[in-house]
Amino acid sequence: MTSGERKALLFLAGVAVLGGVARVVASPAPAPTAAERGALRDQIGAVDSARRAPPHASDRRHAARRKRVVRDTTSVPTPIQSPPSPADTPIDVDVADARALEALPGVGPALARRIVADREARGAFGSLAGLERVRGVGPALARRVASHVTFSGVSRPSGAGAVHSP
């Protein structure tokens, strides 16, 4: 056998192997059995149930929803519910950065920067009343953000930080 014949034979063998691989890859997968379909339906139900559960077990608003178990997902389609948005989680004004503060209603980038600068210069706010010391935060805005914020720090007395010389 000559060198050219060997190369041709090797080429034909390669084409045959590739043709066999292509047929195996292109062949349809076997249909799932009834048991496999049932197991898949159970897994989909478990995933849907987990998606509807709140991210924190301490969230009591969603306790009733956690107790429900989806048994059959094929009879009635269930809407996909997204997890609570960051707006549902209170923002700790005493530690939040400017970007997080911008998520509050009525607080833009400039006011968020002023809040952070005031906190860094004068300490924690401690309450809505303390937050009102920032220029641009009045009683109306404080009421508007009240349900969206929390405070972990203790506000300093108004005279604290002032240095008095004799």
Side-chain angles (χ1 to χ4, degrees):
M1 186 183 282
T2 66
S3 170
E5 291 174 331
R6 274 184 275 181
K7 287 180 182 178
L9 187 59
L10 186 60
F11 174 76
L12 290 175
V15 168
V17 169
L18 287 175
V21 169
R23 290 187 92 181
V24 168
V25 170
S27 67
T33 64
E36 290 172 331
R37 283 192 303 270
L40 181 59
R41 190 173 36 249
D42 291 343
Q43 283 189 346
I44 290 172
V47 168
D48 287 344
S49 176
R51 291 176 95 186
R52 284 191 298 270
H56 301 292
S58 63
D59 190 353
R60 295 179 186 198
R61 292 177 294 164
H62 301 286
R65 191 178 304 147
R66 278 197 309 270
K67 291 180 183 177
R68 279 190 262 146
V69 178
V70 177
R71 296 288 180 208
D72 183 12
T73 60
T74 59
S75 60
V76 178
T78 56
I80 297 174
Q81 296 179 357
S82 60
S85 68
D88 294 340
T89 306
I91 295 173
D92 188 347
V93 181
D94 288 333
V95 296
D97 62 359
R99 183 178 208 137
L101 293 171
E102 287 178 36
L104 294 171
V107 177
L111 182 55
R113 285 192 302 269
R114 280 199 307 272
I115 292 170
V116 171
D118 184 280
R119 184 184 64 218
E120 289 173 356
R122 298 168 60 185
F125 300 108
S127 67
L128 284 172
L131 181 61
E132 289 183 30
R133 74 183 185 213
V134 178
R135 184 176 50 88
V137 180
L141 182 60
R143 281 191 305 273
R144 189 171 175 193
V145 301
S147 63
H148 303 283
V149 297
T150 185
F151 299 90
S152 62
V154 178
S155 62
R156 287 197 238 167
S158 61
V163 179
H164 300 285
S165 57

